[in-house]
Amino acid sequence: QVQLVESGGGLVQAGLSLRLSCAASSSIFSRSAMGWYRQAPGKQRELVASITVGSSNYYADSVKCRFTISRDNAKNTVYLQMNSLKPEDTAVYYCNVRPTVQGYWGQGTQVTVSS
């Protein structure tokens, strides 16, 4: 059974940082591109950042130069370092493979940025 478990969210003030983690089943992690997604209230889920097996990265324009995605293949974990957080980054953050698999969505982790 595939599991993706997100953690690391919280309530922070604007300008500060958080690091999110996503622990994945070893059966999928080593051969999958991974992505971080977010869904704000009333909005569609969007791709924030992704990383290939070879660690090539993609970032949405809204987070470029502020967020960094990385992966630790030994730990089957993908990270999202979020710096200079803004109130508009407030959302539930999820990880999934790329392209996404519907059945892999986890509970997500809430990030709330106060102004």
Side-chain angles (χ1 to χ4, degrees):
Q1 183 178 358
V2 173
Q3 281 193 316
L4 296 169
V5 180
E6 303 92 347
S7 62
L11 171 63
V12 296
Q13 289 187 328
L16 297 185
S17 300
L18 281 175
R19 189 175 83 152
L20 306 183
S21 300
C22 170
S25 304
S26 59
S27 61
I28 61 167
F29 189 84
S30 62
R31 53 183 171 84
S32 300
M34 301 295 297
W36 279 100
Y37 305 79
R38 68 186 180 187
Q39 187 166 21
K43 295 188 177 181
Q44 288 190 331
R45 194 173 298 178
E46 63 175 350
L47 176 66
V48 174
S50 65
I51 185 167
T52 66
V53 172
S55 295
S56 295
N57 301 335
Y58 160 84
Y59 297 98
D61 287 344
S62 59
V63 306
K64 276 181 182 176
C65 301
R66 298 190 298 122
F67 290 11
T68 302
I69 189 171
S70 61
R71 63 191 295 158
D72 185 334
N73 292 330
K75 296 182 178 179
N76 297 327
T77 301
V78 61
Y79 303 99
L80 187 67
Q81 178 67 42
M82 306 187 296
N83 298 330
S84 302
L85 282 162
K86 303 176 180 181
E88 51 262 45
D89 295 319
T90 295
V92 179
Y93 284 71
Y94 304 87
C95 65
N96 205 321
V97 297
R98 289 279 294 159
T100 60
V101 174
Q102 183 62 31
Y104 291 179
W105 293 112
Q107 295 298 310
T109 186
Q110 175 71 47
V111 172
T112 303
V113 184
S114 63
S115 58

